[in-house]
């Protein structure tokens, strides 16, 4: 009688335990030494075409993704052979609807004192959503949005691994060096089509894993191994010929738009190279070849002149600051309703004793790479305050002036205090100055950067989000970054002429900014048609060559 009660309790407890399993989100399983599997949690496993009890392991392997089967079998054998107590793996399994789900499997083995396998138990977890999320993050981090190719960040990481392993390789930089002219002739969408066309040629020739889109108009092909110049010239020549033929059929034109720079990474280069310098040399060779109208250029002695210039930029910025070689030009911002100048943007220029005029597009990126951007940024801020002081002495009032600030400088802990000290030194007010920030995609995910902007705003500075629409700015910006001015990039202004949907988008953006009390500036207005378009959209301020080109502080004071 007592035994019957105990048996009934055991059965009831077993049923209760199985019900608990069924209520869970994970699948539970056990496997005997003869590879017979029992699955628990009916809710989980009913999605897959397997027997729940007494199922041979081959049943589970049959519905597994073909690419994952061999690794799964190897994992099982390794765990059993090497007596690994706990092992985790991931693979794909086909459900009854024919769709593959990612499964994370945890297996735990139990053996007797002699090491003989008694049984294995474990759990299955559906991680499909997690994998999809990881894929999206990977795409955002490492893939170019237009072509789907790997991006520059991925290339830098790959090159770092290659250099660490001391492998030889060929780094080929392909430049679409007339893309702006092509867009002017054929339109923006046609420009994208050309980029996609060339990306397809490169993928077919070298394989998609070896091709990277590093800039809007540049691709890099990375080939491991040792290559002669003759072999590479033949490979590249075939690609260029293929592209020219496709381009001709696509646009009925014979424009030569491609140049290639090749850097051969040899055994003795590892100690002297890093990914960034290697990429720079390859790009430099390509650009130098473009200047000489050479389709294919290899790194050689005749490129030393360009490299010497680059080294000068890397090492000469601090000296140029102390020698007062940097100066500011100012471009007015015009009120859209009155046509009057209401503020100006300060633009830094470099008048080098050695090289003459050097534009920001050349030295700013170098300054950001080597850290000189912080000292240069403070120097520019001082120059802007000096101008405001001179303007006040002439006009008895102050015109609002904007200063571009790099995110690298923004991340300096003493930035706000430093800015305030400079403003106080010139007896100015923070509200006379606008801080322009461009890299919003970085700011959105950086709490400290947002804190810095909030501190600047609290101190009285105006915060302007520059070049909106030129890169990866998003509507998340409106809710995560404190700013009171938004500057529409010139590319959006240009698109407004061609695309009604862009005009609608800009009007929506302006309305959204109006609701938040944000001033909207249209940059790069080049003619009356563009001026009329942005006025209709309701922007507050306009800036561009149509109104004023950048001018010296003296010229601006005399207006």
């Amino acid at each position: 009688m007592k035994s019957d009660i105990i048996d009934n309790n055991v059965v009831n407890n077993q049923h209760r335990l199985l019900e608990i399993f069924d209520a869970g989100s994970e699948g539970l399983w056990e496997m005997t030494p003869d590879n017979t599997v029992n699955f628990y949690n009916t809710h989980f496993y009913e999605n897959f075409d397997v027997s729940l009890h007494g199922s041979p392991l081959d049943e589970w392997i049959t519905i597994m993704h073909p690419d994952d089967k061999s690794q799964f079998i190897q994992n099982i054998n390794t765990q059993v052979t090497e007596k690994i107590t706990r092992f985790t793996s991931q693979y794909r399994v086909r459900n009854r609807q024919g769709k593959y789900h990612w499964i994370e499997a945890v297996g735990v083995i139990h053996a007797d004192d002699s090491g003989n396998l008694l049984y294995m138990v474990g759990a299955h977890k559906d991680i499909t959503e997690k994998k999809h999320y990881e894929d999206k993050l990977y795409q955002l981090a490492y893939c170019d949005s237009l072509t789907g190719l790997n991006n520059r960040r991925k290339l830098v990481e790959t090159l770092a691994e290659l250099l660490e392993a001391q492998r030889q390789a060929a780094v080929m930089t392909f430049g679409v060096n007339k893309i702006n002219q092509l867009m002017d002739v054929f339109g923006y969408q046609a420009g994208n089509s050309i980029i996609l066309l060339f990306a397809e040629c490169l993928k077919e020739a070298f394989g998609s894993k070896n091709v990277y889109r590093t800039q809007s108009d540049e691709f890099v092909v990375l080939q491991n191994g040792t290559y002669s110049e003759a072999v590479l010239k033949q490979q590249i020549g075939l690609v260029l010929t293929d592209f020219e033929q496709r381009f001709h059929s696509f646009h009925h034109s014979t424009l030569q738009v491609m140049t290639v720079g090749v850097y051969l990474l040899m055994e003795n280069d590892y100690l002297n190279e890093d990914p960034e310098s290697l990429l720079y040399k390859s790009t430099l060779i390509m650009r130098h070849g473009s200047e000489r109208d050479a389709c294919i250029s290899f790194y050689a002695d005749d490129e030393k002149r360009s490299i010497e210039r680059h080294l000068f930029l890397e090492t000469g910025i601090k000296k140029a600051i102390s020698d007062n070689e940097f100066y500011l030009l100012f471009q007015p911002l015009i009120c859209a309703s009155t046509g009057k100048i209401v503020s100006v943007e300060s633009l830094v220029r470099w008048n080098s004793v050695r090289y003459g005029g050097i534009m920001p597009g050349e030295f700013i990126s170098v300054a950001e790479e080597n850290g000189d951007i912080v000292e240069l940024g403070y120097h520019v801020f001082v120059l802007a305050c000096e101008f405001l002081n001179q303007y006040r002495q002439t006009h008895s009032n102050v015109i609002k002036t904007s200063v571009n600030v790099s995110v690298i400088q923004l991340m300096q802990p003493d930035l706000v205090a430093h800015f305030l000290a400079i403003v106080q030194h010139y007896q100015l007010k923070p509200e006379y100055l606008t801080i322009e920030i461009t890299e919003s995609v970085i700011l959105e995910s950086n709490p400290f950067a947002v804190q810095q902007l909030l501190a600047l705003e609290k101190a009285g500075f105006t915060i302007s989000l520059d070049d909106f629409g030129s890169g990866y700015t998003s509507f998340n910006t409106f809710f995560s970054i404190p700013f009171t001015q938004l500057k529409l990039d010139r590319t959006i202004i240009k698109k407004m002429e061609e695309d009604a949907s862009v005009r609608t988008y800009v009007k929506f953006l302006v309305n959204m900014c109006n609701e938040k009390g944000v001033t909207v500036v249209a940059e790069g207005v080049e003619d009356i048609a563009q001026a009329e378009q942005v006025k209709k959209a309701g922007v507050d301020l306009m800036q561009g060559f149509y109104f004023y080109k950048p001018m010296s502080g003296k010229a601006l004071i005399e207006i």
Side-chain angles (χ1 to χ4, degrees), residues 7 12 72 140 201 209 251 270 290 306 378 514:
D7 290 341
N12 290 335
F72 173 81
L140 290 172
C201 292
K209 291 184 179 180
H251 280 299
Y270 302 113
S290 177
S306 296
Y378 287 132
N514 288 339

Side-chain angles (χ1 to χ4, degrees), residues 22 39 109 153 164 263 354 433 441 469 478 491:
D22 284 340
F39 296 105
I109 62 173
R153 178 187 294 180
E164 185 177 356
Y263 184 91
R354 180 174 176 180
L433 289 139
V441 68
F478 284 86
T491 56

Side-chain angles (χ1 to χ4, degrees), residues 330 387 390 551-559:
F330 300 89
F387 161 74
Q390 294 169 2
M551 64 185 75
S552 67
K554 181 181 178 181
L556 181 61
I557 289 173
E558 292 176 353
I559 292 180

Side-chain angles (χ1 to χ4, degrees), residues 6 59 538:
I6 293 174
E59 255 189 20

Side-chain angles (χ1 to χ4, degrees), residues 331 467 488-495 523-526:
Q331 188 172 31
D467 294 341
L488 296 174
D489 185 72
R490 62 184 67 247
T491 56
I492 276 195
I493 305 306
K494 191 172 183 62
K495 290 177 190 176
E523 290 187 295
V525 178
E526 298 178 353

